């Protein structure tokens, strides 16, 4: 500490004289939560949304350059596997699913199907394992190599003369006996011909329907009414019309329209059971959507497809070569799978409506939300540079030790998309952090650190009642919790702090609202929004008074920190990957935005509270946690120090130094 008495020392002296310090604590812990607000305070935003319990990258360098790729359950364990085929050698290679990814590929057969026109995975003998089937257009011959669970047995011809000259070949169980059958389609006449499997061959050929699908863009076989028999589905890309001809076990009944206007112009279409109700649903993949790679679904009612107006899966497989629906998780629901032929990268997402599914989740891999992308930062974790799970106790304890040593007083936990969104996984990790804070604070040798919750569902509902509802949850599950609430929760002006992400008009609407605000009134309420409303060019530039600055604790400050005696926010820069960037470099100085337009203003203004945005928000790139940034590419900015060398610690070192300067300076 400098020779002069700094503001923190002055507060400590006055607090001791007032009897507010715990005798013998050894760390200046305050036993009156209200007194904390009178001390110089430092808060920092903290993200609990990182999960690392699974992977969306299911395989890399698998099948790049292969002639064909297929997905089916070749091992018979209920999970679909990845299989690649080489048309030159007739080699089939299988990478089995373990529910989290595809394993290493192994050769299952060679010399099967060399020069064939089409290849399939289908269970033709009804033993629950998909077999390797090939079709030769010149003579209409079909050959099968049955799966034994760890390889394909010797191949044999199952029929000849079935489908020669046909426009498309398909395989499915159209008569409901548990064995997949060989089906061919003729575009000119709309005829569908079937050769049923008897378990050892395809017997006979019969026409099941005519005039169904001529001029269509895609033909599919799937059980859309849930009776155990696969039906004939056609899709017209120009109109988005879907027509179904239901199987009666010996033929396809008259076709009827099941949907119109769904998925017009889609790059790929599918029919599969994505909700687990036993009926196949209609799904489309659109590469040229905005953002690219969106999936949409229309669920089957048993008599039609019900359109959904929202995206089912965002940006999943953008730029991929192939897409499928397959039950790779063994959940009974068919999930979207994508393959990049250039790199051999396979990606998969769970079939349910949650973008984030517990135990099947790795948020570092990105591509899960609009405009998101894989996170290329590698934060220092446990002595090495690696990604982490926000709920890992060892990671939390490491972060708490860093933050406490730096002089951080409280964390703002980012729940701003909604306190219970994404299947609750973000809140679960917030609870895990709160629990570890309680444990940390129970050790008298540790400098106390607290937390508060930031909510934000009102930003989308624009209803004050939404904020009240979230306040109830925060009160019951955090601020007033008997174990990790109370003094572990950060108080401001004698009340627990809650921060709401909302547009300025939402804030005004809430302030003027005459409804029940008993829950939110139990908190000291502060605000954040995408950009501060008073920024130059904003519609609200001249609306708030200067005193409003102190009511905001984030998010984006393109002009730098706003001078205020109560609260000032400092941020190192931002890149939210949707075209909005605040460079970390200012006046040619790397890190200059953080120093010159942030902390230097804090030292000059000397507010009561400083809020740092943020410790570990790597998705929007406002983080200061030590990290390897060598893999970043534009518009992201690698962390280069004044000498132009990569420096994983530069922003954390700056933070620690500035905190020390601020706390030891005179007011």
């Amino acid at each position: 500490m400098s020779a002069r008495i700094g503001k923190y020392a002055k507060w400590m002296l006055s607090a001791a004289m007032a009897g507010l310090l715990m005798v013998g604590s050894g760390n200046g812990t305050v036993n009156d939560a209200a007194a904390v607000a009178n001390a110089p305070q430092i808060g920092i935003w903290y993200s609990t949304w990182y999960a690392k319990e699974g992977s969306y990258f299911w395989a890399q360098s698998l099948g790049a350059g292969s002639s064909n790729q297929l997905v089916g359950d070749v091992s018979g364990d209920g999970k679909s596997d990845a299989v690649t085929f080489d048309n030159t050698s007739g080699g089939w290679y299988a990478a089995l699913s373990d529910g989290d990814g595809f394993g290493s590929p192994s050769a299952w057969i060679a010399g099967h199907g060399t020069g064939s026109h089409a290849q399939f995975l289908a269970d033709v003998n009804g033993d629950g394992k998909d077999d390797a089937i090939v079709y030769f257009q010149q003579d209409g011959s079909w050959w099968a190599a049955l799966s034994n669970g760890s390889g394909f047995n010797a191949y044999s011809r199952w029929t000849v003369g079935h489908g020669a000259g046909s426009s498309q070949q398909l395989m499915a169980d159209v008569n409901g006996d548990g064995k997949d059958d060989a089906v061919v389609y003729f575009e000119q006449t709309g005829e569908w011909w079937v050769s049923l499997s008897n378990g050892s061959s395809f017997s006979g050929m019969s026409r099941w329907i005519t005039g169904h699908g001529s001029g269509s863009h895609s033909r599919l076989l799937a059980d859309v009414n849930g009776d155990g028999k696969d039906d004939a589905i056609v899709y017209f890309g120009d109109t988005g019309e879907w027509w179904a001809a239901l199987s009666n076990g010996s033929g396809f009944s008259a076709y009827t329209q099941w949907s119109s206007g769904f998925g017009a112009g889609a790059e790929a279409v599918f029919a599969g059971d994505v909700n687990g109700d036993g009926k196949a649903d209609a799904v489309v993949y659109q590469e040229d959507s905005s953002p690219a790679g969106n999936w949409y679904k229309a669920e089957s009612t048993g008599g039609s497809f019900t359109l959904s107006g929202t995206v089912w899966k965002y940006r999943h497989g953008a730029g991929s070569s192939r897409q499928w629906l397959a039950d790779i998780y063994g959940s009974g629901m068919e999930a979207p799978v994508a393959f990049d032929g250039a790199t051999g990268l396979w990606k998969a997402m769970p079939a349910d409506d949650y973008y984030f599914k517990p135990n099947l989740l790795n948020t570092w891999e990105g591509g899960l939300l609009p405009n998101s992308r894989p996170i290329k930062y590698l934060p220092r974790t446990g002595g090495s540079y690696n990604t982490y799970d926000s709920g890992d106790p060892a990671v939390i304890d490491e972060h708490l030790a860093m933050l406490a040593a730096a002089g951080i007083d409280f964390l703002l936990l980012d729940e701003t998309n909604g306190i219970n969104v994404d299947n609750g996984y973000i809140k679960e990790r917030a609870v895990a952090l709160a629990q570890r804070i309680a444990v940390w604070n129970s050790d008298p040798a540790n400098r106390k650190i607290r937390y508060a919750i930031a909510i934000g569902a009102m930003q989308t509902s624009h209803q004050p009642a939404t904020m009240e509802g979230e306040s109830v949850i925060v009160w019951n599950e955090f601020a007033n919790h008997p174990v990790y609430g109370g003094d572990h929760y950060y108080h401001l002006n004698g009340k627990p702090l809650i921060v709401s992400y909302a547009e300025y008009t939402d804030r005004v609407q809430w302030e003027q609202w005459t409804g029940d605000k008993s829950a939110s009134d139990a908190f000291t309420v502060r605000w954040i929004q995408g950009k501060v409303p008073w920024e130059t060019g904003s519609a609200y530039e001249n609306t708030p008074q200067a005193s409003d600055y102190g009511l905001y604790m984030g998010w984006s400050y393109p002009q730098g920190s706003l001078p205020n005696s109560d609260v000032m926010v400092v941020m190192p820069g931002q890149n939210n990957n949707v075209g909005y960037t605040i460079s970390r470099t200012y006046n040619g100085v790397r890190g200059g935005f953080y120093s010159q337009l942030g902390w230097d203003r804090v030292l000059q203004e000397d507010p009561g509270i400083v809020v740092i945005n943020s410790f570990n928000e790597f998705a929007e790139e406002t983080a200061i946690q030590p990290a390897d940034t060598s893999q970043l590419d534009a518009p992201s900015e690698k962390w280069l120090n004044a000498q132009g060398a990569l420096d994983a610690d530069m922003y954390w070192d700056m933070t620690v130094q500035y905190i020390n300067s601020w706390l030891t300076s005179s007011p």
Side-chain angles (χ1 to χ4, degrees):
M1 184 175 290
S2 61
R4 59 188 179 181
I5 299 177
K7 61 171 61 63
Y8 196 75
K10 288 183 177 180
W11 175 82
M12 289 281 287
L13 178 61
S14 63
M17 294 176 63
L20 296 177
L21 294 185
M22 297 176 66
V23 178
S25 68
N27 62 0
T29 301
V30 182
N31 67 1
D32 182 345
V36 172
N38 299 318
Q41 293 287 289
I42 302 174
I44 192 165
W45 282 87
Y46 189 93
S47 297
T48 63
W49 70 282
Y50 298 112
K52 194 179 178 183
E53 295 184 348
S55 180
Y56 290 106
F57 295 169
W58 271 53
Q60 301 191 53
S61 302
L62 172 62
S66 57
S67 304
N68 196 9
Q69 308 81 38
L70 308 98
V71 180
D73 181 12
V74 295
S75 65
D77 65 353
K79 297 184 286 288
S80 293
D81 312 299
V83 177
T84 63
F85 169 75
D86 180 77
N87 210 345
T88 301
S89 66
W92 296 66
Y93 302 85
L96 303 184
S97 167
D98 62 6
D100 279 325
F102 297 127
S104 299
S106 60
W108 274 44
I109 195 172
H112 175 44
T114 302
S116 57
H117 174 78
Q119 305 82 37
F120 307 90
L121 291 177
D123 182 11
V124 294
N125 63 343
D127 66 352
K129 298 184 288 289
D130 283 343
D131 311 301
I133 316 299
V134 298
Y135 166 80
F136 291 88
Q137 178 74 286
Q138 58 269 32
D139 62 355
S141 63
W142 297 69
W143 297 70
L146 301 181
S147 170
N148 59 32
S150 58
F152 294 126
N153 297 331
Y155 52 86
S156 62
R157 190 174 66 184
W158 275 45
T159 194
V160 66
H162 175 49
S166 58
S167 307
Q168 186 177 351
Q169 305 78 40
L170 309 96
M171 296 204 68
D173 180 13
V174 294
N175 65 343
D177 66 352
K179 298 183 288 291
D180 287 332
D181 311 300
V183 181
V184 296
Y185 165 79
F186 292 86
E187 166 64 24
Q188 187 172 359
T189 59
E191 293 181 63
W192 299 64
W193 289 73
V194 174
S195 181
L196 298 177
S197 170
N198 60 23
S200 58
S201 66
F202 296 128
S203 58
M205 289 167 276
S206 61
R207 185 173 59 192
W208 276 42
I209 195 171
T210 186
H212 178 42
S214 293
S216 60
H217 293 82
S218 293
R219 279 73 49 191
L220 309 160
L221 289 172
D223 182 11
V224 294
N225 64 343
D227 66 352
K229 299 182 288 292
D230 287 335
D231 311 300
I233 317 299
V234 299
Y235 158 84
F236 293 85
D238 50 350
T239 61
E241 293 181 35
W242 295 69
W243 295 73
L246 302 180
S247 170
N248 58 27
S250 58
F252 294 127
S253 303
Y255 51 85
T256 59
Q257 188 180 89
W258 275 49
S259 182
S260 179
F262 174 61
E267 281 73 23
V269 300
F270 312 91
D273 183 8
V274 300
N275 59 7
D277 67 353
K279 298 185 290 290
D281 312 296
V283 174
V284 300
Y285 169 81
Q286 295 189 321
E287 174 67 29
D288 62 352
S289 56
S290 181
N294 286 350
W295 299 64
Y296 300 82
K297 68 175 180 177
E299 295 186 355
S300 171
T301 65
S304 64
F305 294 129
T306 301
L307 277 63
S308 172
T310 59
V311 178
W312 180 43
K313 303 294 177 185
Y314 285 105
R315 286 182 54 86
H316 178 49
S320 57
S321 310
R322 295 282 305 277
Q323 306 84 29
W324 299 266
L325 286 179
D327 187 8
I328 57 173
Y329 297 100
S331 65
M333 297 184 290
E334 296 188 55
V337 180
F339 167 77
D340 184 338
T343 63
L345 174 64
W346 297 68
K347 297 180 69 175
M349 293 186 71
D352 61 25
D353 287 332
Y354 298 114
Y355 299 120
F356 307 105
K357 184 177 179 64
N359 305 318
L360 298 172
L361 175 62
N362 191 325
T363 47
W364 296 91
E365 292 174 351
L368 310 178
L369 294 175
N371 301 296
S372 68
R373 59 182 182 176
I375 298 172
K376 296 185 178 181
Y377 292 83
L378 289 175
R380 190 164 61 234
T381 306
S384 64
Y385 293 100
N386 202 352
T387 55
Y388 56 78
D389 194 298
S390 295
D392 185 339
V395 171
I396 295 172
D397 290 350
E398 179 183 14
H399 292 176
L400 292 179
M402 290 177 60
L403 295 164
I408 303 295
D409 296 291
F410 66 96
L411 311 183
L412 277 176
L413 306 192
D414 188 352
E415 313 290 313
T416 53
N417 285 336
I419 193 67
N420 279 320
V421 298
D422 300 326
N423 211 17
Y425 94 93
I426 304 176
K427 186 177 75 173
E428 289 174 2
R429 284 158 173 79
V431 169
L433 183 136
Q435 291 172 333
R436 296 309 300 172
I437 284 179
V439 173
W440 172 269
N441 289 340
S442 68
D443 186 342
N446 292 335
R447 183 182 187 277
K448 263 200 170 183
I449 195 164
R450 296 171 171 85
Y451 74 96
I453 300 294
I455 57 176
M458 188 170 66
Q459 66 177 302
T460 52
S461 74
H462 306 295
Q463 299 297 319
T466 301
M467 180 170 167
E468 178 67 12
E470 289 198 298
S471 298
V472 171
I473 296 171
V474 175
W475 177 263
N476 291 334
E477 300 185 27
F478 291 97
N480 199 40
H481 193 277
V483 176
Y484 46 82
D487 190 40
H488 303 299
Y489 195 95
Y490 184 74
H491 285 62
L492 181 64
N493 298 335
K495 294 181 179 180
L497 171 67
I498 195 169
V499 180
S500 177
Y501 191 113
E503 294 301 318
Y504 183 70
T505 51
D506 295 327
R507 170 194 158 187
V508 172
Q509 183 182 9
W510 179 83
E511 290 174 337
Q512 297 175 350
W513 187 49
T514 58
D516 179 14
K517 293 197 285 188
S518 56
S520 46
D521 282 345
F523 292 91
T524 294
V525 178
R526 291 295 181 262
W527 302 92
I528 55 172
Q529 64 182 65
K531 298 181 185 179
V532 289
W534 44 81
E535 102 178 70
T536 302
S538 164
Y540 306 106
E541 179 180 357
N542 300 313
T543 301
Q545 301 299 316
S547 60
D548 266 348
Y549 294 4
L551 299 179
Y552 282 81
M553 291 188 168
W555 185 251
S556 182
Y557 288 73
Q559 295 175 321
S561 300
L562 299 173
N564 185 267
S565 61
D566 295 323
V567 177
M568 290 180 66
V569 178
V570 294
M571 63 184 303
Q574 182 185 23
N575 175 16
N576 63 2
N577 300 308
V578 291
Y580 180 63
T581 301
I582 300 173
S583 176
R584 291 180 177 237
T585 299
Y586 180 73
N587 278 343
V589 177
R590 298 183 180 96
F593 188 89
Y594 193 44
S595 58
Q596 297 177 38
L597 298 188
W599 280 105
D600 287 349
R601 291 182 177 181
V602 167
L603 294 178
Q604 181 177 0
E605 183 68 23
D606 192 25
I609 298 175
V610 174
V611 177
I612 302 167
N613 181 13
S614 64
F615 179 70
N616 60 342
E617 178 50 87
F618 293 105
E620 292 195 18
E621 305 193 31
T622 64
I624 60 171
Q625 180 187 0
D628 175 4
T629 62
S630 61
Q631 300 303 310
L632 269 60
D633 47 29
S636 301
E637 298 172 84
K638 296 179 180 179
W639 295 359
L640 304 176
N641 59 26
Q643 291 72 43
L646 284 168
D647 188 346
D649 295 290
M650 65 178 293
Y651 287 99
W652 184 248
D653 287 346
M654 289 172 62
T655 301
V656 173
Q657 292 166 9
Y658 268 113
I659 289 175
N660 183 65
S661 296
W662 181 56
L663 292 180
T664 58
S665 65
S666 295

